[in-house]
Amino acid sequence: MDLIFDIPLEELRRRRSAKWTHHPSDVLPLPVAEMDVRLAPSVAAALRSAVERSDTGYAGDSTELTDAFRGFAWRRWRWQVEVGSIRTCADVAVGATEVLRRLVSPGDGVVVMPPVYPPFYAWVREAGAEPVPVPLIEQQRGGRLDLDGIERALEGGVRVVLLCHPHNPLGRVHDLDELRALAELARRHGATVISDEIHGPLTHPGHTFHPYLTVSDAAIETGITLTSASKAFNLAGLKCALIVTERHRAMFDRLPHELSWGVGHLGALAATAAYTDGDDWLDRLNGQLAANAALLRDLLARQLSSVTFPEPQATYLAWLDCSPLGFGPDPAATFLDRARVALSSGPDFGAPGQGHTRFNYACSPALIEEAIARMAQIARL
């Protein structure tokens, strides 16, 4: 196996990032969306070079970064991103909130699709709107958009849909027909789709990711994409993300002038290197993530057979249905207290998260094995 997660546990514990400082040292930390990887060589080289020349000021001209993303988008997805259609921001959270503020009025509704990344709710409320939950259907089989439910929300006056694509925590890559149908609904009702595609580069072998803005003319008319190298290349702390749109560029003039000043200079340099020379490393990573997901499924089948999860098509996150264990609505609390394994709390993702946890498998196979062994031990008591 081509191991990309080869960092010893004692070395990982010396990291000062959120994943490795939120819990005591006897806890295996698997909730925070960070990966236990060494940086892609091109990224590490770019950062070392910047430090050696003391190049640590504010982010400068973004042309190199946006050109690098345009090349990456074409190579990975045959997405021809137009010059002038990209605006930079510090991260997807900041970008989403500022875009939402330009699209909603106080009290407006915004469609979200639980179980979904918990900050979605916070972003909507920060913009002065209210989340309108339209849960995914067929969740045990990976989840699908409830197009009928979305249409009812649009008929009721909602004009913004916040799409998680690929979906966190289910790992679902929404298929072409779903996305086209969503775009038609949005066009028919004069709505905008904000597509969070931060996990798009983390699509597993054998699956195809279609950026929303590529699926149809209706998607181009209705879509705004948020993306970043932060998840795929483990750069979250460096602060650099992109807002991409074709038909909503007039909105760029209404975004705060300070938005681009929030971009981290090192983040922009790292993302440029990742988008330019990180393809081979990313392909290795995605292969290992698929192998880790298969390992997790095998370990659960042998040691915790009542716990299941839909096959992830992307991301490094498994949505574990732990309800058969009888640990109540928030089994993550039990696993942390009794097994010393930290997982994400299912109820934080919305009502369908009752009895579930989210497991981050972007780590060594040995760490996955140890986590499942600990979890199985307390389940047998």
Side-chain angles (χ1 to χ4, degrees):
M1 183 183 294
D2 179 18
L3 288 179
I4 200 167
F5 299 101
D6 63 348
I7 305 176
L9 183 58
E10 58 271 21
E11 181 179 338
L12 290 169
R13 291 203 182 279
R14 292 198 293 271
R15 291 185 173 185
R16 309 319 301 152
S17 63
K19 179 177 181 180
W20 293 98
T21 56
H22 274 183
H23 298 283
S25 61
D26 65 327
V27 172
L28 296 180
L30 300 172
V32 181
E34 298 179 23
M35 296 191 292
D36 297 344
V37 294
R38 304 184 195 280
L39 291 175
S42 62
V43 172
L47 292 173
R48 279 194 297 267
S49 177
V51 171
E52 286 169 0
R53 63 179 182 264
S54 298
D55 186 7
T56 55
Y58 291 107
D61 182 83
S62 64
T63 303
E64 189 175 3
L65 166 63
T66 56
D67 284 350
F69 174 74
R70 292 174 60 240
F72 179 83
W74 177 253
R75 293 192 308 276
R76 305 299 288 192
W77 308 307
R78 287 298 181 261
W79 179 12
Q80 189 168 352
V81 180
E82 294 184 9
V83 174
S85 64
I86 305 174
R87 178 77 181 268
T88 59
C89 58
D91 54 35
V92 164
V94 171
T97 303
E98 293 299 336
V99 168
L100 282 165
R101 283 184 172 131
R102 273 76 201 164
L103 296 175
V104 300
S105 298
D108 284 356
V110 174
V111 167
V112 297
M113 305 173 198
V116 72
Y117 182 52
F120 270 33
Y121 303 98
W123 301 346
V124 170
R125 293 191 174 103
E126 179 67 20
E130 286 298 320
V132 177
V134 181
L136 295 181
I137 57 177
E138 301 177 15
Q139 292 181 25
Q140 293 306 313
R141 290 187 286 175
R144 292 182 61 82
L145 302 182
D146 181 356
L147 293 167
D148 291 337
I150 294 170
E151 184 167 27
R152 287 192 294 271
L154 297 179
E155 289 173 344
V158 174
R159 289 296 174 264
V160 179
V161 176
L162 189 51
L163 177 69
C164 194
H165 175 47
H167 192 83
N168 172 3
L170 293 176
R172 162 81 175 179
V173 178
H174 302 299
D175 68 35
L176 198 55
D177 289 340
E178 288 177 283
L179 295 171
R180 285 174 173 165
L182 174 62
E184 287 297 333
L185 286 176
R187 180 162 65 176
R188 187 183 315 151
H189 292 279
T192 302
V193 176
I194 303 173
S195 185
D196 176 354
E197 300 183 358
I198 198 169
H199 287 281
L202 292 171
T203 299
H204 297 184
H207 299 281
T208 302
F209 170 74
H210 299 283
Y212 180 79
L213 289 171
T214 69
V215 303
S216 67
D217 289 342
I220 292 172
E221 290 178 20
T222 60
I224 300 172
T225 289
L226 301 164
T227 190
S228 173
S230 62
K231 290 294 182 256
F233 292 92
N234 213 40
L235 305 174
L238 298 184
K239 295 300 177 185
C240 180
L242 305 173
I243 306 168
V244 187
T245 186
E246 299 292 347
R247 300 293 172 84
H248 293 266
R249 294 190 205 180
M251 179 195 61
F252 288 167
D253 294 332
R254 296 187 287 118
L255 292 172
H257 173 70
E258 295 79 11
L259 193 65
S260 59
W261 285 93
V263 174
H265 179 45
L266 294 181
L269 295 175
T272 300
Y275 289 140
T276 303
D277 294 311
D279 293 55
D280 290 344
W281 183 91
L282 182 59
D283 289 339
R284 287 180 56 213
L285 171 67
N286 283 326
Q288 185 62 54
L289 290 176
N292 280 5
L295 172 64
L296 176 60
R297 186 176 303 283
D298 180 62
L299 291 169
L300 287 172
R302 288 190 280 115
Q303 300 181 51
L304 269 174
S305 59
S306 63
V307 175
T308 59
F309 66 97
E311 178 186 358
Q313 300 173 340
T315 80
Y316 43 75
L317 306 166
W319 186 236
L320 305 186
D321 182 357
C322 303
S323 53
L325 298 178
F327 288 167
D330 188 11
T334 301
F335 287 128
L336 177 58
D337 181 53
R338 295 172 51 192
R340 310 306 284 163
V341 175
L343 305 172
S344 296
S345 172
D348 289 348
F349 292 77
Q354 301 282 320
H356 289 70
T357 65
R358 191 188 73 173
F359 187 112
N360 175 354
Y361 56 83
C363 58
S364 70
L367 194 57
I368 298 172
E369 291 168 359
E370 174 65 18
I372 297 304
R374 292 188 187 191
M375 293 162 65
Q377 184 177 16
I378 69 160
R380 289 193 293 266
L381 296 179

